Amino acid sequence: DTGVSQDPRHKITKRGQNVTFRCDPISEHNRLYWYRQTLGQGPEFLTYFQNEAQLEKSRLLSDRFSAERPKGSFSTLEIQRTEQGDSAMYLCASSVVGFGFGNEKLFFGSGTQLSVL
Amino acid sequence: ELKVEQNPLFLSMQEGKNYTIYCNYSTTSDRLYWYRQDPGKSLESLFVLLSNGAVKQEGRLMASLDTKARLSTLHITAAVHDLSATYFCAVDYSNSGYALNFGKGTSLLVTP
C-alpha cells in the first residue's frame, strides 16, 4: 500500500495520560499535515511540515500538543495530559509541492480515532 | 472569521435524479477543494479548483468555482447509489495549499 498510513487506528486512553500517533506519508511527498475531525464536522487544520520544518501551527494546537517530523519522512503527534475534549479523529495528510504548484492534492490517511475517558 | 457553509447538510435523492450542493465561503480565496468521505474511511480528493470560472468534471460529478460570488457548486448528474457519501468543500485560506478550512459536509444518500 503506497498511501498515507497512520498508526494506531484506534486509541482509548484515560484523561491525563499522554498519547502519541504516527503518520507515514506517501514517500515522495514533502509536505505533511495534521488535521482533527470531530463527529459531524469537517476536518480542522492543526499544523503542517515542509520536509522537517514545522511551518505553521493553528491556534487549535495548544501547548499540550506537539508534532515532529525529524527526518522529513514520518511524523508523530503527541498529546500530553489528554482531556475529554481531545476525543476526535486525527487525520494525517501529505502532498508534494514544487511541481505544478497549486495543483497539489492532499492525500489523507485513514486517521487515528482517539477516545479519552 | 473564515466561514465555509455547505447547503444542504443532508440530501436524500433518488437514483437517476440531478442535484446541486452549494458551498459558500466568507473570505477571498482562489483555491477550493472538494472531498468525498465514506463512513469510517478517509477523505478522497475529488476536485481542486484554482481560479474564477474553473469547472472540472469527473463521471457524474461536476464542480465549479465563482470566486467573485465566493461560491462553489458540486453538481450530481443521474445519481447512482455508489455516490452515497459525505462531500466536503474546503477553502484554502492560506493561499499556499496548506491550511484548508472545511465545511461541515453534505451527507448524500442515493436511494433506488
Side-chain angles (χ1 to χ4, degrees):
Chain A
D1 189 336
T2 57
V4 177
S5 63
Q6 293 187 244
D7 183 67
R9 291 292 307 273
H10 300 91
K11 179 70 177 178
I12 300 173
T13 191
K14 292 182 179 178
R15 189 178 55 182
Q17 298 294 307
N18 300 344
V19 294
T20 300
F21 311 139
R22 177 180 169 122
C23 171
D24 288 90
I26 294 171
S27 60
E28 64 269 24
H29 285 187
N30 51 6
R31 274 194 179 174
L32 185 147
Y33 313 78
W34 286 99
Y35 280 77
R36 180 175 70 186
Q37 185 177 23
T38 53
L39 195 63
Q41 303 293 320
E44 299 172 296
F45 170 75
L46 293 178
T47 187
Y48 93 103
F49 294 82
Q50 183 145 329
N51 300 312
E52 66 274 12
Q54 188 174 16
L55 297 185
E56 187 72 22
K57 292 192 286 187
S58 162
R59 56 186 170 83
L60 293 176
L61 210 67
S62 76
D63 290 345
R64 297 184 297 105
F65 288 70
S66 63
E68 294 182 343
R69 194 184 184 196
K71 298 182 179 179
S73 57
F74 74 91
S75 175
T76 58
L77 177 68
E78 180 184 17
I79 309 173
Q80 296 182 329
R81 305 180 304 281
T82 53
E83 301 173 357
Q84 288 184 328
D86 297 332
S87 296
M89 175 76 81
Y90 289 83
L91 294 167
C92 176
S94 69
S95 70
V96 59
V97 176
F99 299 101
F101 180 74
N103 288 322
E104 63 272 11
K105 296 179 181 180
L106 272 65
F107 293 83
F108 282 85
S110 297
T112 294
Q113 180 66 53
L114 173 66
S115 298
V116 181
L117 305 178
Chain B
E1 179 189 351
L2 173 65
K3 292 183 180 179
V4 180
E5 295 182 344
Q6 289 185 234
N7 180 40
L9 296 182
F10 298 96
L11 175 58
S12 179
M13 59 188 297
Q14 286 185 315
E15 284 187 329
K17 299 292 187 182
N18 304 333
Y19 207 82
T20 300
I21 298 170
Y22 298 88
C23 175
N24 291 89
Y25 55 98
S26 63
T27 194
T28 302
S29 175
D30 292 332
R31 298 188 182 201
L32 190 133
Y33 301 72
W34 283 96
Y35 284 86
R36 166 181 172 147
Q37 187 175 38
D38 291 288
K41 305 288 186 181
S42 190
L43 288 91
E44 174 192 355
S45 177
L46 295 175
F47 301 109
V48 181
L49 303 170
L50 297 176
S51 61
N52 187 40
V55 177
K56 291 196 175 178
Q57 183 163 4
E58 182 75 30
R60 302 175 187 274
L61 300 177
M62 182 174 71
S64 66
L65 178 62
D66 181 343
T67 59
K68 293 180 181 177
R70 298 178 187 172
L71 170 69
S72 179
T73 61
L74 180 66
H75 186 72
I76 303 160
T77 302
V80 293
H81 179 69
D82 286 350
L83 291 179
S84 297
T86 299
Y87 294 85
F88 291 95
C89 66
V91 174
D92 176 7
Y93 64 83
S94 68
N95 274 327
S96 60
Y98 67 79
L100 302 186
N101 193 319
F102 283 78
K104 290 188 176 183
T106 296
S107 181
L108 171 65
L109 176 63
V110 181
T111 57

